[in-house]
Amino acid sequence: MFDKNPLDTSPPPSTSRRRLLQQASSGFGGIALAGLFSQQSSCGSDVSKTGVGNGHHSAKAKHVIFCYMSGGVSHVDSFDPKPKLQKLHGKSMPVDVERTQFNNNGSIMASPFKFQPWGESGLEISDMFPNIGKQADELAVIRSLTSPVNEHAQGNFLMHSGFPFMGHPTAGAWCSYGLGSANENLPAYVVLQSGGAVPPHGGVALFSNGFLPAQHQGSILKADKEEAIRNIRGIDGLQAQRRRLELARALDGQFLQNSADDPQVEAAIANFETAFRMQTAVPELCDISDESAETQQLYGLDSQDAALASYGRQCLLARRLVQRGVRFIELSCLTRGIGAGGAANPWDQHSALEKGHRAMATQVDQPIAALIQDLKRCGLLDDTLIVWAGEFGRTPFSQGSNGRDHNPFGFSAWLCGGGTKGGTVHGATDELGYHAVQDKCQVYDVWATVLHQLGINHEQLTYRHGGRDFRLTDVHGNVLHNILS
C-alpha cells in the first residue's frame, strides 16, 4: 500500500482504519467501471462469474419466490382442517399443554373459517383463501412442519437461514452463491417491499449474506416508490459518473492492484458493477406501463384496498424479476391496522384472530393466486418454485377469548411450481392440529427440497468459515421426494 525503499527495514507507517477506507473506497468504483461499457447485458450469462457453479444435477427450477407470512399463520384456520375442534369447542385440552409464549391459555377454539375441498385433487383449504383455493391443484401442502423455537425473531432467522440467530447467510444468499445470477444487470437476490412494509423481527439481517461474499446479500427494492432503490438515478448522468470513477481509479490503482486477490475487495467491486448497471435496469423493471389492464386487474392493482393493491404490485414485480433471470425473490406482507399484528409480524393474532387473519388473507390471497396463474400463463411456473410459509403456526386452543398463541410443534407451508407435485399433501398433525405426528419435518427439509429442485445437493453446497464447513441446512435436511413430480 505504501511505497517503501526495499533496503529500509523500519516498520511501515501506521494508518487508521478510517484513512485506509478513505484511500481505498473511491477506487472500488473505478475498477468496477472498467469494463462496464464494453459488456453486453444477457439473460443466461456465465453464472460462474458470481456463483460457485451450475449445480450438482439436472434442475427442475431456476427461480424461487418466497412469500413470507411473518407473524405465524394459523394452520388450523387455513391449510390443515380439524373437524375435532368444532366438536370440542369450549372444552379443555385432552392432552398436556406445552408452555406457550404468553401462557394465557384458554379452551379449545373451533376455527371461525369454513374448509372445503378444491380442484380435482380435493385439497382442503379454508375460505380465508378463496382465490388460492382455486389453484389447489398446483399446491404441494406440507402439514407437518415443526420448529425448535417459539419466538418471532428466532423463528424468522431459523426459517430464513437455518439458524435461530443472526450472522448466517439467508436462503436467498445461498441460492445466489450456489448458482450466481442469470442477469448481470440485477442482483441475484431481491427483497420486495411496499406500502410501508418493514422487515420481520430480526430486521435486514434476515436478508444477509452472512459470511458469504457481499454480492450475495439481498437487495431491498421498494416496489411502490418513485425510486425503488435510493439514489438509483445518477445526479448528472452516467457519462459524468464514468469520468469521476475513472479518475478515482487512476488515483487508487496501486491499492487495488495490491488487493486484487482479496475476496472482500472483489465482492465490493462486483457490487459496484451491479449497482451501476441497475441504474438502467431497475427503473425499467418497475415501470409496469407495458402490462395490460387485464394483467394489472388480475393482481388487484385496481383495488380500492390499498394493502391488496400494494402487495399485488410486489407479486407482479416478482413475475417481472423472474422474466429477467433473478434467482431468489422474497415478498413482504404489510400491516393491516386494527386486528392485525405489529408492523414486523402482521399475522400475529393473539386476540381477534378471525378479524386479523381475514384482513391479512384479503391482502395476499388474490395477488398470490394471480402470480400462480400469470406464471403458468407465461410458461414460467414449471421452472419457478413458490414457497409460502411463516415462522410457526398457532395453538388449537385460544389465547384469552378469541386469539391463538404460537405453536411450533406442527404447522403448514406449501410449495408450488418448479417441479413439485400439485394437489398433494405431505405429513399430518394430530386430530387437534397440535403436534405433527406423520412425516414430521423441519425447515431444513424445506430448503433441502428447494435446493434439490434448483439442481443443488444441499449437503455439497458449503462454505468454509471459522474452521468448519457451513451450509443452509446445517447438519440436517432431507429432500421431500413425495411432493416432487
Side-chain angles (χ1 to χ4, degrees), residues 73-106:
V73 182
S74 174
H75 56 296
V76 296
D77 295 299
S78 55
F79 293 97
D80 193 4
K82 295 298 172 186
K84 194 76 170 179
L85 297 183
Q86 303 290 337
K87 297 178 181 179
L88 299 180
H89 178 70
K91 297 185 178 181
S92 299
M93 285 285 288
V95 298
D96 290 339
V97 173
E98 307 276 359
R99 182 177 180 179
T100 57
Q101 183 75 6
F102 293 98
N103 283 326
N104 181 21
N105 304 328

Side-chain angles (χ1 to χ4, degrees), residues 399-453:
Q399 177 182 350
S401 61
N402 58 4
R404 297 191 193 274
D405 210 327
H406 308 168
N407 180 19
F409 309 112
F411 58 103
S412 299
W414 55 258
L415 308 182
C416 174
T420 57
K421 189 187 302 180
T424 59
V425 172
H426 173 91
T429 53
D430 58 42
E431 61 182 0
L432 297 174
Y434 194 18
H435 289 85
V437 294
Q438 178 185 325
D439 295 327
K440 183 178 177 179
C441 61
Q442 304 177 69
V443 61
Y444 312 109
D445 303 316
V446 174
W447 290 126
T449 304
V450 170
L451 291 176
H452 177 82
Q453 294 306 93

Side-chain angles (χ1 to χ4, degrees), residues 370-382:
L371 177 60
I372 297 171
Q373 291 176 265
D374 202 17
L375 287 170
K376 189 173 183 179
R377 180 174 63 181
C378 296
L380 296 169
L381 187 60
D382 288 344

Side-chain angles (χ1 to χ4, degrees), residues 335-341 346 349 351-360:
T335 304
R336 279 298 302 258
I338 297 175
Q349 273 77 63
S351 62
L353 179 131
E354 180 180 7
K355 183 175 183 179
H357 264 42
R358 200 174 288 282
M360 290 304 302

Side-chain angles (χ1 to χ4, degrees), residues 154-167:
Q154 290 183 327
N156 292 330
F157 278 117
L158 182 77
M159 186 60 71
H160 279 77
S161 71
F163 294 83
F165 37 77
M166 70 173 62

Side-chain angles (χ1 to χ4, degrees), residues 195-209:
V198 299
H201 286 302
V204 294
L206 294 170
F207 319 131
S208 171
N209 57 294

Side-chain angles (χ1 to χ4, degrees), residues 12 18 54 69 72 98 116 187 208 247 266 288 293 312 335 348 363:
R18 176 174 296 180
N54 293 313
M69 303 291 112
E98 307 276 359
Q116 70 178 72
S208 171
L247 174 61
E266 292 179 359
I288 62 171
T335 304
D348 191 34
Q363 175 190 138

Side-chain angles (χ1 to χ4, degrees), residues 147-440:
S147 173
V149 297
N150 194 29
E151 184 271 332
H152 289 296
Q154 290 183 327
N156 292 330
F157 278 117
L158 182 77
M159 186 60 71
H160 279 77
S161 71
F163 294 83
F165 37 77
M166 70 173 62
H168 291 266
T170 191
W174 279 110
C175 290
S176 172
Y177 170 69
L179 293 175
S181 177
N183 185 336
E184 64 180 7
N185 297 328
L186 291 168
Y189 173 24
V190 172
V191 178
L192 293 172
Q193 295 177 349
S194 61
V198 299
H201 286 302
V204 294
L206 294 170
F207 319 131
S208 171
N209 57 294
F211 41 73
L212 294 178
Q215 69 263 35
H216 302 298
Q217 67 184 317
S219 295
I220 297 176
L221 193 155
K222 304 286 187 179
D224 55 353
K225 296 294 185 182
E226 184 176 352
E227 273 200 328
I229 296 177
R230 188 177 298 174
N231 300 322
I232 195 65
R233 295 186 175 92
I235 298 175
D236 50 5
L238 297 182
Q239 294 299 327
Q241 181 180 350
R242 177 188 182 186
R243 291 192 296 271
R244 286 196 300 271
L245 293 178
E246 285 179 337
L247 174 61
R249 179 192 178 197
L251 294 174
D252 291 332
Q254 185 62 49
F255 170 82
L256 292 165
Q257 182 179 352
N258 294 338
S259 304
D261 294 330
D262 186 336
Q264 296 303 322
V265 175
E266 292 179 359
I269 290 171
N271 278 344
F272 272 98
E273 289 177 345
T274 303
F276 186 86
R277 289 189 289 264
M278 285 168 61
Q279 293 187 12
T280 299
V282 169
E284 184 274 332
L285 164 74
C286 296
D287 181 3
I288 62 171
S289 60
D290 59 340
E291 299 286 349
S292 69
E294 176 190 4
T295 297
Q296 296 192 38
Q297 290 168 7
L298 178 69
Y299 283 92
L301 269 63
D302 62 335
S303 175
Q304 296 301 308
D305 186 323
L308 190 163
S310 185
Y311 194 82
R313 189 178 184 90
Q314 287 188 48
C315 287
L316 176 55
L317 289 187
R319 189 264 286 161
R320 291 171 67 88
L321 284 165
V322 165
Q323 288 177 311
R324 287 156 177 78
V326 173
R327 292 288 183 194
F328 195 102
I329 304 136
E330 179 168 344
L331 278 59
S332 307
C333 287
L334 292 65
T335 304
R336 279 298 302 258
I338 297 175
N345 53 324
W347 281 96
D348 191 34
Q349 273 77 63
H350 290 274
S351 62
L353 179 131
E354 180 180 7
K355 183 175 183 179
H357 264 42
R358 200 174 288 282
M360 290 304 302
T362 298
Q363 175 190 138
V364 304
D365 178 49
Q366 179 182 344
I368 292 176
L371 177 60
I372 297 171
Q373 291 176 265
D374 202 17
L375 287 170
K376 189 173 183 179
R377 180 174 63 181
C378 296
L380 296 169
L381 187 60
D382 288 344
D383 59 14
T384 303
L385 182 57
I386 300 174
V387 180
W388 185 98
E391 64 268 43
F392 37 62
R394 317 298 296 192
T395 57
F397 48 87
S398 67
Q399 177 182 350
S401 61
N402 58 4
R404 297 191 193 274
D405 210 327
H406 308 168
N407 180 19
F409 309 112
F411 58 103
S412 299
W414 55 258
L415 308 182
C416 174
T420 57
K421 189 187 302 180
T424 59
V425 172
H426 173 91
T429 53
D430 58 42
E431 61 182 0
L432 297 174
Y434 194 18
H435 289 85
V437 294
Q438 178 185 325
D439 295 327
K440 183 178 177 179

